[in-house]
Amino acid sequence: MAEALAEHTSIAINVAATASCYRFAISPGVRALSRRLERPPDRRRRITAAVVTGLAVLTPAGLAALQTPPSAGPARWLLLAVLALLTWKFSTTDYDLTRPLALQRRARRLLVLLAFGGAVWPPLLLCWLALACGRLHGWQHHAMMPLRLLKAYVAWYVAALLLTGAVSPSAAQDGLLLTLCCVALSHYLKAAWSKARLGPHWWSWSWHNRTHCLIASAYSWGWARFLPPRTATTALRTVQPLNRPLNVAAMAVELSPLLAFSHRWALIASLAATAMFNTVVALTSGILFWENICANVGLALTVATWPRDMSGWPSTLFALALLLLAVADRIWQPWHLGWWDTPFTARIHWEVRTAGGRRLGLYNSFMCPYEREFGRVLGYFLSEEPILHGHLGTVFDHELRDRILDADADPEALARLKQLHGHVHADPAQAGRHLDFLRTTFSRLNSGAPKGPLTGRLRRLKAPGGQLFSWGDLPPYRGDEPVDRIAIRYEERYYRSRTREFVVLTDQPLLELDITPTATEPTRSTRAKDLR
């Protein structure tokens, strides 16, 4: 009994030290370094970054020289797999052709070298994280959870060095696994909390959300448009009666972390269920969290093969404390993923006319490294139309949701709603920067500039994106021939559940942009936010 109490106390100390190191040292350090790397390089920033990085890496080295470095045990293989997947993702993203290519090539090569170095000496992962999140713009929603796993590992490594002698190696390893599981599952618990706060009651979302509208809006947006509308409407007719069971199942999965640590198999089931949940989301909406799926499957396998059973009421208490602090944004800050689904979508579309006279769709998959921006709500600043919703027709007000549903594709009713509740995003300055971005990008592509580090057949090895909206009314442009002109238009669609049909309400041309080839390379970096 006394030995078990001492072991649980050691685990609690390790978890608390890891969380504190994450919150007050590792996370602020990565944020500061990545912001410096995002800016155009100069001598002062290079010196500052080198000094800070040197201190961050050499301090653990000095501590490790005085004692045996901590071992992550079987969790090391999981973390190496996460590191390899993220390195693959960031090193194979396409170039931003409005920025000098030499800097981008060096950043990708350095990232691969730091990944190998971090696999041997974990404090080097601090440099890897700063480079991935800064110069390579990797700190985006779909990669945040696995990136936080690596940040938690670095924090654990430093905490374990400081606690050498006070915490047994087995307790330190158990504390690491518990922390990693909390990092992963907190992203789902935060989503359940967000949904519970949407309506007048905590159960309102489960009972009243029209989840089938998410599938309809995703189809309108560009997901699975290779299917004919009749096939899509047949699938929607099948799913519509299942709205409430699907909503209840989603909430059960997202609330499962509250009980996950009570038993080893409960934790395995929770991690497997979240991976399956992300898979279902990808199949129905085109939003692919492949990084989360891989990380959660890896965690489930690690828990299943862990040499000790760390579950029970003490671990549940430690985990609940960590999970609730994460949900309250006190350690890390998972996104608020809660909204009402509607059948109404307004989207900006880009089209190209090639040198051969073909008219093709310019979809977000081709616009990597900004495939996420082009796959979401980019371009509203080009239109004077009031916008009612967010990505895929989502809203946060249940009364607005009801009014959109009651409109039932009536243009006049929707126009009144847009005037009352819509927001005009038109911004001439931002529109000008966006057009400059398109002009420079396609002019350089016309001149033969490489789209990314992988060319030809090797592009099949490129990591997948997270917004699968690569289909539409036109065949996709794949860079096979030069572009003469880009046309941008604004489109509104509505899915009528009663008649089971997709209605195009508005198809309005906004502007056209002529493209000319250029062989010159930009001499300075542009900011990614100029796109948005």
Side-chain angles (χ1 to χ4, degrees), residues 425-507:
H425 297 264
D427 185 337
Q430 195 173 7
R433 292 192 297 268
H434 178 69
L435 297 179
D436 288 341
F437 168 82
L438 292 175
R439 186 180 294 109
T440 302
T441 297
F442 283 90
S443 293
R444 298 206 58 213
L445 285 174
N446 288 349
S447 300
K451 184 72 173 65
L454 300 177
T455 58
R457 294 184 178 180
L458 290 179
R459 285 191 65 79
R460 298 176 182 175
L461 302 178
K462 182 177 176 293
Q467 305 287 331
L468 307 182
F469 304 111
S470 300
W471 298 272
D473 297 329
L474 297 173
Y477 175 70
R478 304 188 187 278
D480 300 330
E481 55 182 309
V483 170
D484 283 347
R485 177 172 294 182
I486 297 176
I488 305 176
R489 59 187 178 87
Y490 170 85
E491 182 187 78
E492 292 179 353
R493 288 177 180 255
Y494 194 104
Y495 173 69
R496 300 188 68 191
S497 298
R498 295 177 185 175
T499 58
R500 298 186 177 92
E501 62 177 332
F502 290 92
V503 181
V504 178
L505 301 173
T506 302
D507 191 357

Side-chain angles (χ1 to χ4, degrees), residues 193-212:
W193 171 249
S194 301
K195 292 179 177 66
R197 300 174 64 192
L198 275 176
H201 307 287
W202 65 268
W203 43 264
S204 295
W205 184 89
S206 298
W207 204 248
H208 297 296
N209 188 53
R210 309 307 204 267
T211 300
H212 76 283

Side-chain angles (χ1 to χ4, degrees), residues 245-379:
L246 289 174
N247 294 345
V248 171
M251 285 292 282
V253 170
E254 292 178 338
L255 288 171
S256 66
L258 294 175
L259 300 175
F261 293 86
S262 61
H263 192 277
R264 181 198 291 257
W265 285 106
L267 182 54
I268 295 171
S270 180
L271 291 165
T274 53
M276 181 62 67
F277 173 75
N278 283 131
T279 303
V280 173
V281 168
L283 292 174
T284 55
S285 70
I287 303 175
L288 175 61
F289 284 83
W290 65 267
E291 303 93 332
N292 286 24
I293 294 172
C294 294
N296 288 338
V297 169
L299 277 168
L301 293 174
T302 302
V303 173
T305 58
W306 198 251
R308 295 171 297 279
D309 185 2
M310 63 173 189
S311 62
W313 67 265
S315 296
T316 300
L317 292 178
F318 307 153
L320 283 177
L322 207 57
L323 289 169
L324 294 178
L325 286 171
V327 170
D329 295 337
R330 299 300 181 184
I331 306 179
W332 50 86
Q333 299 176 354
W335 274 36
H336 292 266
L337 294 179
W339 57 75
W340 300 106
D341 294 307
T342 76
F344 177 58
T345 59
R347 195 185 178 194
I348 303 295
H349 290 277
W350 292 262
E351 301 172 1
V352 301
R353 190 189 68 188
T354 67
R358 292 195 299 165
R359 184 167 162 251
L360 302 172
L362 184 59
Y363 302 123
N364 67 303
S365 58
F366 185 79
M367 297 309 294
C368 181
Y370 303 112
E371 64 92 21
R372 173 175 170 80
E373 288 81 358
F374 276 85
R376 287 175 54 82
V377 295
L378 181 70

Side-chain angles (χ1 to χ4, degrees), residues 52-350:
V52 173
T53 303
L55 289 174
V57 174
L58 293 177
T59 299
L63 292 172
L66 303 176
Q67 52 211 355
T68 304
S71 170
R76 182 172 182 269
W77 300 108
L78 163 70
L79 294 161
L80 289 178
V82 171
L83 176 63
L85 287 173
L86 291 179
T87 302
W88 172 49
K89 173 185 174 71
F90 299 139
S91 63
T92 60
T93 55
D94 287 346
Y95 298 133
D96 179 350
L97 296 180
T98 66
R99 301 167 56 205
L101 295 186
L103 289 175
Q104 299 180 69
R105 290 192 179 104
R106 284 200 295 267
R108 284 160 173 77
R109 292 167 186 164
L110 181 58
L111 188 80
V112 174
L113 291 176
L114 287 173
F116 281 104
V120 178
W121 179 239
L124 280 176
L125 291 178
L126 187 68
C127 306
W128 184 95
L129 286 163
L131 182 61
C133 297
R135 187 63 56 82
L136 296 175
H137 306 292
W139 189 245
Q140 296 188 19
H141 184 204
H142 288 221
M144 283 182 180
M145 188 270 272
L147 283 171
R148 287 186 174 117
L149 292 179
L150 295 181
K151 289 167 71 174
Y153 175 43
V154 177
W156 172 86
Y157 190 90
V158 175
L161 278 176
L162 296 173
L163 293 173
T164 300
V167 174
S168 66
S170 61
Q173 292 174 6
D174 289 350
L176 171 61
L177 182 60
L178 188 147
T179 302
L180 294 177
C181 291
C182 286
V183 169
L185 293 177
S186 63
H187 291 73
Y188 301 91
L189 187 61
K190 181 63 169 287
W193 171 249
S194 301
K195 292 179 177 66
R197 300 174 64 192
L198 275 176
H201 307 287
W202 65 268
W203 43 264
S204 295
W205 184 89
S206 298
W207 204 248
H208 297 296
N209 188 53
R210 309 307 204 267
T211 300
H212 76 283
C213 290
L214 175 65
I215 305 173
S217 295
Y219 184 81
S220 296
W221 209 266
W223 164 238
R225 289 283 290 278
F226 51 84
L227 298 174
R230 185 173 181 177
T231 303
T233 55
T234 300
L236 288 167
R237 181 177 57 191
T238 303
V239 172
Q240 186 172 347
L242 302 176
N243 278 334
R244 285 174 180 169
L246 289 174
N247 294 345
V248 171
M251 285 292 282
V253 170
E254 292 178 338
L255 288 171
S256 66
L258 294 175
L259 300 175
F261 293 86
S262 61
H263 192 277
R264 181 198 291 257
W265 285 106
L267 182 54
I268 295 171
S270 180
L271 291 165
T274 53
M276 181 62 67
F277 173 75
N278 283 131
T279 303
V280 173
V281 168
L283 292 174
T284 55
S285 70
I287 303 175
L288 175 61
F289 284 83
W290 65 267
E291 303 93 332
N292 286 24
I293 294 172
C294 294
N296 288 338
V297 169
L299 277 168
L301 293 174
T302 302
V303 173
T305 58
W306 198 251
R308 295 171 297 279
D309 185 2
M310 63 173 189
S311 62
W313 67 265
S315 296
T316 300
L317 292 178
F318 307 153
L320 283 177
L322 207 57
L323 289 169
L324 294 178
L325 286 171
V327 170
D329 295 337
R330 299 300 181 184
I331 306 179
W332 50 86
Q333 299 176 354
W335 274 36
H336 292 266
L337 294 179
W339 57 75
W340 300 106
D341 294 307
T342 76
F344 177 58
T345 59
R347 195 185 178 194
I348 303 295
H349 290 277
W350 292 262

